[in-house]
Amino acid sequence: MKILIADDEPMQRELLAGFLLKQGYAVSTAADGEEALVLFQREHPQLALIDHRMPGLMGDALLVEIKARNPLARVIMITAYGEVGTAVTVMKAGADDFLEKPIDLTQLLEKIQQIEQDLDIADDVAEVAETLAAGPLPMEIIGSSPSMQETLSVARRVADSPWSVLIQGETGTGKELIARLIHLLGPTPDAPFVEVNCAAIPENLFESELFGHEKGAFTGADRQRRGRFELARGGTLFLDEVGELPPLLQSKLLRALQEKRIHRVGGERDIAVDTRVIAATNRDLRAMAETGAFREDLFFRLNVLDVELPPLRRRREDIPELVAHFLKRYARRPTRVGLETMDLLVRHDYPGNVRELEHIIQRSLTLARGTVLQPKDLPEEVRQGPQVHQGALQERLDAMEREMLSAALAQVDWVQTQAAERLGISERVLRYKMGKHGLQRPKD
Ligand SMILES: Nc1ncnc2c1ncn2[C@@H]1O[C@H](COP(=O)(O)OP(=O)(O)OP(=O)(O)O)[C@@H](O)[C@H]1O
Ligand SMILES: [Mg+2]
């Protein structure tokens, strides 16, 4: 992948360039916006890292120029630490992501790798879109981000097949929503969609819940009852939190899936069931299968097709649209979200994903006095912005210092006088810092 770096600070520019080159990317650098635009035209990079504050053609303007020339080019904006409003401004202006100074190189690399993946996916999606008549979805699902587009495209593809689908994703990412979508896109949208929450049913009632029972099968079974498998005949059985299924039930479920037949508790005959099974879990079921915490054969049965739901912090571009979606759903009068508020919402990490965002909006609407949501209406943890812990900050600064030192040293072939000069420190301090970071001239 080709990356363009635009930054007026030579040190920062070289640090980034050196780091990315080492990671195997093709890099070109520009000291200002005009130069960046010339390079962009000439080299067609897929990604630009732009310092938000540059003399002349400012980062914002450069962003607009780049997107005007190639809307598919990705742009990560580098913003000053703690500047309120910039994150949302740059996202609104069309940036794909932002990073705060001092740049955390590990985080930068993660973002770049994510973009690379997205670009691959975008190619795939474009390909699939050609072969698939992608009509409107039968339900309202927000997801313009590349990773959600990929998920939705997979959902469309698996919907028609009779095989089991396993939906994996963190809590609140929309697993149930996608399960319903797959059902509605499938061949029998009018047949029942029956849900079983494997975490919520007491173990001793589970078998009867799933497969039903005959009258008198056990104490309290005073009449015959059909189980959810049967109720879902011809339609979809949704096994939520399937990772919590007790071991005994795992084997019974496996048998039902293999034989496509069930029998009720206390029943004599088998009943054929043509039920499609969709399972969901927020656990790493593969890992559980590997350690024996989940039956491996059942895992493979369920996981014939799989759909992965990305966490919300990996698709922040969906946040403004989701906010609008939930406002429309829950606000009793037209309500807007202030710029600063949206900025905080876009930055929050959402361990509880979309559900957390939904709750935040509901709660804030209750607290809001006017028709504009203000930062003070947001919960404490969102209002405080991303937490940089003392330790974490020191770690980041150390990593950055180490990276700057080694880049400077490498550039002058480890001549310490020259490196010290470049870095603007004395040789003595340089030697001290090299010792601290364990930096030594690599042996060839
Ligand atoms: N892409 C989306 N667009 C609109 N609403 C969404 C989206 N994703 C999730 N939601 C909403 O967020 C809430 C949580 O979604 P859902 O219940 O499907 O998550 P889940 O992954 O099943 O969570 P859990 O693991 O906790 O069971 C629901 O109210 C759902 O409607
Ligand atoms: Mg759920």
Side-chain angles (χ1 to χ4, degrees):
M1 187 161 77
K2 276 193 212 165
I3 303 177
L4 171 66
I5 300 169
D7 197 322
D8 58 314
E9 255 179 79
M11 204 62 194
Q12 166 100 348
R13 210 166 56 226
E14 282 172 24
L15 162 75
L16 287 176
F19 173 70
L20 294 174
L21 275 171
K22 229 191 285 170
Q23 303 295 326
Y25 296 105
V27 178
S28 43
T29 57
D32 58 48
E34 285 81 5
E35 191 188 345
L37 211 51
V38 173
L39 282 177
F40 182 81
Q41 296 276 62
R42 199 170 66 206
E43 307 195 343
H44 310 289
Q46 289 101 328
L47 168 66
L49 295 178
I50 301 179
D51 185 16
H52 188 227
R53 285 209 187 160
M54 280 187 295
L57 188 56
M58 289 279 291
D60 278 344
L62 177 59
L63 165 66
V64 173
E65 294 294 326
I66 284 185
K67 288 283 181 180
R69 283 169 176 74
N70 177 8
L72 297 179
R74 301 300 164 103
V75 176
I76 298 181
M77 260 317 175
I78 298 166
T79 61
Y81 171 69
E83 227 176 324
V84 171
T86 44
V88 73
T89 320
V90 302
M91 298 294 278
K92 272 205 177 142
D96 298 282
D97 211 333
F98 64 92
L99 265 177
E100 279 184 346
K101 288 182 188 173
I103 295 182
D104 179 335
L105 293 172
T106 320
Q107 208 187 357
L108 171 65
L109 192 60
E110 267 172 21
K111 290 190 191 255
I112 292 179
Q113 286 166 346
Q114 175 71 30
I115 286 175
E116 275 183 305
Q117 246 181 43
D118 288 350
L119 288 173
D120 284 352
I121 291 168
D123 284 351
D124 283 359
V125 172
E127 226 169 76
V128 171
E130 280 168 18
T131 55
L132 209 75
L137 293 176
M139 52 201 298
E140 213 178 343
I141 295 180
I142 308 296
S144 324
S145 58
S147 50
M148 270 307 278
Q149 284 294 308
E150 161 70 356
T151 302
L152 294 173
S153 138
V154 174
R156 282 183 193 276
R157 276 177 280 166
V158 303
D160 265 332
S161 121
W163 301 110
S164 307
V165 182
L166 181 64
I167 304 176
Q168 307 214 57
E170 289 178 15
T171 176
T173 42
K175 295 186 292 295
E176 180 168 346
L177 208 62
I178 294 296
R180 290 181 186 276
L181 174 70
I182 293 174
H183 171 72
L184 290 178
L185 289 171
T188 56
D190 296 324
F193 176 92
V194 178
E195 190 194 331
V196 182
N197 185 338
C198 302
I201 298 174
E203 187 165 350
N204 58 342
L205 296 182
F206 214 108
E207 190 176 355
S208 134
E209 205 46 59
L210 212 51
F211 305 119
H213 61 247
E214 296 295 346
K215 184 175 171 180
F218 48 84
T219 343
D222 47 8
R223 54 196 174 100
Q224 183 207 62
R225 185 160 175 248
R226 291 193 298 160
R228 308 231 183 153
F229 235 111
E230 247 185 290
L231 294 173
R233 268 165 108 171
T236 303
L237 178 69
F238 176 48
L239 296 171
D240 205 1
E241 319 254 10
V242 75
E244 315 305 320
L245 202 65
L248 181 66
L249 268 303
Q250 291 180 24
S251 14
K252 295 202 163 152
L253 174 62
L254 177 66
R255 218 184 50 222
L257 291 177
Q258 279 168 341
E259 294 168 8
K260 296 192 187 315
R261 311 180 75 81
I262 55 153
H263 68 255
R264 302 190 186 124
V265 179
E268 312 243 302
R269 61 188 180 95
D270 277 351
I271 304 165
V273 281
D274 51 346
T275 305
R276 164 136 206 218
V277 171
I278 302 180
T281 179
N282 54 24
R283 319 246 315 234
D284 185 348
L285 216 53
R286 183 182 298 276
M288 285 175 71
E290 273 163 18
T291 60
F294 194 83
R295 279 191 74 122
E296 200 167 27
D297 41 10
L298 179 57
F299 168 70
F300 287 123
R301 269 280 159 184
L302 295 173
N303 193 41
V304 179
L305 301 167
D306 72 319
V307 179
E308 179 96 23
L309 271 164
L312 189 53
R313 62 182 173 283
R314 296 272 298 273
R315 44 174 160 125
R316 290 185 197 272
E317 55 268 61
D318 286 341
I319 293 175
E321 218 181 316
L322 280 165
V323 169
H325 171 72
F326 291 132
L327 280 181
K328 202 171 74 191
R329 179 178 293 174
Y330 298 115
R332 268 181 256 129
R333 53 191 169 177
T335 305
R336 285 193 307 113
V337 175
L339 179 66
E340 207 181 320
T341 315
M342 188 62 98
D343 193 57
L344 289 166
L345 286 169
V346 169
R347 283 163 184 263
H348 184 57
D349 263 347
Y350 301 97
N353 294 294
V354 183
R355 179 176 301 106
E356 181 182 350
L357 175 59
E358 181 174 9
H359 288 166
I360 289 173
I361 298 298
Q362 283 175 306
R363 192 198 106 120
S364 308
L365 281 169
T366 319
L367 294 180
R369 286 168 206 271
T371 53
V372 181
L373 288 190
Q374 306 286 356
K376 65 172 165 25
D377 304 323
L378 297 174
E380 182 74 22
E381 70 272 16
V382 183
R383 218 164 47 214
Q384 279 176 346
Q387 293 291 296
V388 181
H389 301 295
Q390 283 296 332
L393 179 60
Q394 196 52 53
E395 254 169 54
R396 283 167 62 178
L397 291 173
D398 281 348
M400 184 161 159
E401 184 178 80
R402 188 176 197 284
E403 197 57 47
M404 286 177 81
L405 290 170
S406 64
L409 283 161
Q411 275 164 11
V412 295
D413 204 22
W414 292 74
V415 179
Q416 294 184 9
T417 346
Q418 289 181 22
E421 197 176 311
R422 281 192 167 225
L423 291 161
I425 53 178
S426 71
E427 266 193 83
R428 195 176 55 79
V429 171
L430 175 63
R431 269 194 299 278
Y432 162 75
K433 286 187 184 294
M434 285 171 69
K436 185 175 104 182
H437 293 294
L439 286 171
Q440 274 178 2
R441 183 191 190 109
K443 301 184 187 72
D444 341 88

